[in-house]
Amino acid sequence: MLLSIVVPCFNEEDVLARFHDHVSLELAKLDGAYEIVYVDDGSRDGTLPLLQELAARDPRHVRYVSFSRNFGKEAAMLAGLRDAAGDAVVIMDADLQHPPELVHRMVALHAEGYDQVVARRTREGDRVTRTLTARLYYRAINRLVDVELVDGVGDFRLLSRRTVDAVLGLGEYNRFSKGLFSWVGFRTTTFSYENAVREQGRSKWTFGKLLNYGLDGLLSFNNKPLRAAVHLGFLLVLLAVGYAAWIVGDALVNGVDTPGYVTLLVAVTALAGVQMVMVGLIGEYVGRIYYEVKRRPHYLVQETHEGPETGVMRADTRRAGESLWETVAPK
Ligand code: UDP
Ligand code: MG
């Protein structure tokens, strides 16, 4: 059995060498063969030279793919999954927040027949505000999307070959992996581990990025938010009709009252706000369609362990066959 480890790296020069040693040590303890696929997501520090060195030192175990610029972790994971040849693939972060010791346990559970072995981190050491927002977010999102998303569950997981192929078969441009993994399903098991604080470097998540990520999760699965908007619209119409009836009734019984200046102002601004939100919501979906229709590759490869990349088109078609380039190019 071949085990692949996929590691997205963005500016990880501080920890990468330590990560590599640590992981290699753990993997050597396992029975089967292994490969580590590093994906350099357009790092601007010494990450790429380090990967080149690692690959040169240990060509049997180390592969890498380097992007032409930063395309984001989702794209990096996709590239890694495409490149990985293993019968099982483990995705982990380069910053040692995903303890390499756990790979052992994942492989054991996979041997028991599980297709997805998911490591769920506790929120120990997180700031209270982040824990709280996460909890609220997951409660809200699980009402809206039709796949189950679990708090603390991230990308640290083992996937069987058929699961990887299933995930690669989902060719959408806007990728929200947490949801995609959950969407493909198969036999899944979860275990918890104590959250480790990032050892070096710093997290690339800012509040704004997290907010947008949250919105992505909400919007990339179905059109329930649109449905909610429609419901809200109905509710507002009902309220307006009720209010109108009340005003008319009041005028008939008590005569015409003083004009409701404040009511008018509040109603107009509130409605304008609601309308803006809804237009924005529709815009989000249209924007997504726009990106899907363009069918741009998710990333461009600049070099790999095999040397510089020459054909740009090959970059995105290596495994999954959803790109436009392949449909136009005669086979
Ligand atoms: N990462 C990446 N591209 C990015 C941002 C992050 O490949 O644009 C990688 C990063 O190198 C790390 C993993 O994704 O291996 C998780 O990133 P980070 O530790 O910043 O996120 P957090 O652990 O705070 O969720
Ligand atoms: Mg991290």
Side-chain angles (χ1 to χ4, degrees):
M1 185 187 124
L2 174 67
L3 177 70
S4 302
I5 310 283
V6 166
V7 192
C9 315
F10 177 53
N11 295 343
E12 299 286 4
E13 63 172 1
D14 297 333
V15 279
L16 204 58
R18 251 180 334 123
F19 170 83
H20 184 73
D21 291 343
H22 202 141
V23 165
S24 303
L25 205 76
E26 287 299 322
L27 292 174
K29 285 188 207 159
L30 295 171
D31 289 336
Y34 71 89
E35 64 174 15
I36 310 178
V37 182
Y38 289 104
V39 183
D40 164 35
D41 186 12
S43 299
R44 286 179 283 271
D45 64 354
T47 301
L48 180 59
L50 223 112
L51 291 180
Q52 289 164 337
E53 194 193 309
L54 291 178
R57 231 195 299 154
D58 191 3
R60 226 160 55 84
H61 292 131
V62 179
R63 305 165 66 84
Y64 73 85
V65 176
S66 178
F67 288 174
S68 61
R69 63 169 174 83
N70 180 247
F71 282 93
K73 191 186 174 189
E74 292 289 342
M77 285 195 294
L78 178 65
L81 288 178
R82 281 184 179 155
D83 194 67
D87 304 301
V89 179
V90 172
I91 305 172
M92 49 195 310
D93 286 359
D95 55 9
L96 286 169
Q97 276 187 302
H98 297 164
E101 301 83 53
L102 296 180
V103 172
H104 178 78
R105 194 149 148 208
M106 289 179 160
V107 171
L109 283 165
H110 173 58
E112 280 176 27
Y114 288 106
D115 286 283
Q116 291 201 47
V117 184
V118 185
R120 173 174 196 256
R121 76 182 183 96
T122 59
R123 285 204 172 266
E124 230 128 298
D126 266 17
R127 251 184 284 160
V128 191
T129 43
R130 193 163 162 186
T131 315
L132 210 75
T133 30
R135 193 165 304 158
L136 285 174
Y137 174 70
Y138 281 99
R139 187 167 299 173
I141 198 172
N142 277 316
R143 279 184 180 210
L144 285 172
V145 302
D146 34 21
V147 295
E148 210 206 340
L149 298 175
V150 185
D151 186 11
V153 159
D155 306 314
F156 185 26
R157 61 180 74 211
L158 177 144
L159 305 172
S160 67
R161 183 77 255 163
R162 62 174 178 179
T163 315
V164 171
D165 289 342
V167 169
L168 290 179
L170 304 175
E172 55 222 80
Y173 185 82
N174 297 287
R175 298 186 81 78
F176 185 72
S177 286
K178 267 190 199 193
L180 297 183
F181 293 143
S182 168
W183 187 89
V184 294
F186 291 117
R187 298 190 58 196
T188 304
T189 179
T190 307
F191 67 86
S192 291
Y193 70 97
E194 192 114 334
N195 181 36
V197 187
R198 197 179 225 285
E199 295 211 4
Q200 241 137 45
R202 39 189 293 222
S203 170
K204 280 104 203 166
W205 288 104
T206 56
F207 177 73
K209 271 195 184 174
L210 269 178
L211 188 72
N212 282 329
Y213 185 69
L215 276 176
D216 274 344
L218 215 92
L219 296 174
S220 50
F221 274 91
N222 54 21
N223 57 2
K224 276 195 193 160
L226 283 177
R227 184 53 64 83
V230 174
H231 289 169
L232 183 62
F234 276 133
L235 186 73
L236 284 173
V237 170
L238 275 179
L239 282 176
V241 169
Y243 186 58
W246 183 65
I247 295 277
V248 171
D250 191 50
L252 286 180
V253 178
N254 302 325
V256 178
D257 202 11
T258 40
Y261 173 72
V262 175
T263 330
L264 201 66
L265 203 68
V266 170
V268 166
T269 39
L271 278 180
V274 170
Q275 276 170 358
M276 291 291 246
V277 171
M278 295 196 187
V279 170
L281 192 64
I282 297 169
E284 277 289 333
Y285 281 99
V286 175
R288 266 147 223 277
I289 297 170
Y290 174 60
Y291 272 101
E292 297 293 341
V293 174
K294 282 203 277 196
R295 307 202 81 185
R296 289 209 179 138
H298 297 88
Y299 54 84
L300 294 177
V301 175
Q302 166 175 287
E303 82 170 67
T304 69
H305 54 280
E306 288 162 339
E309 190 79 10
T310 43
V312 168
M313 294 175 191
R314 193 166 76 91
D316 203 39
T317 46
R318 194 164 288 181
R319 259 180 211 261
E322 94 284 357
S323 170
L324 180 66
W325 306 118
E326 232 189 33
T327 23
V328 288
K331 290 239 168 93

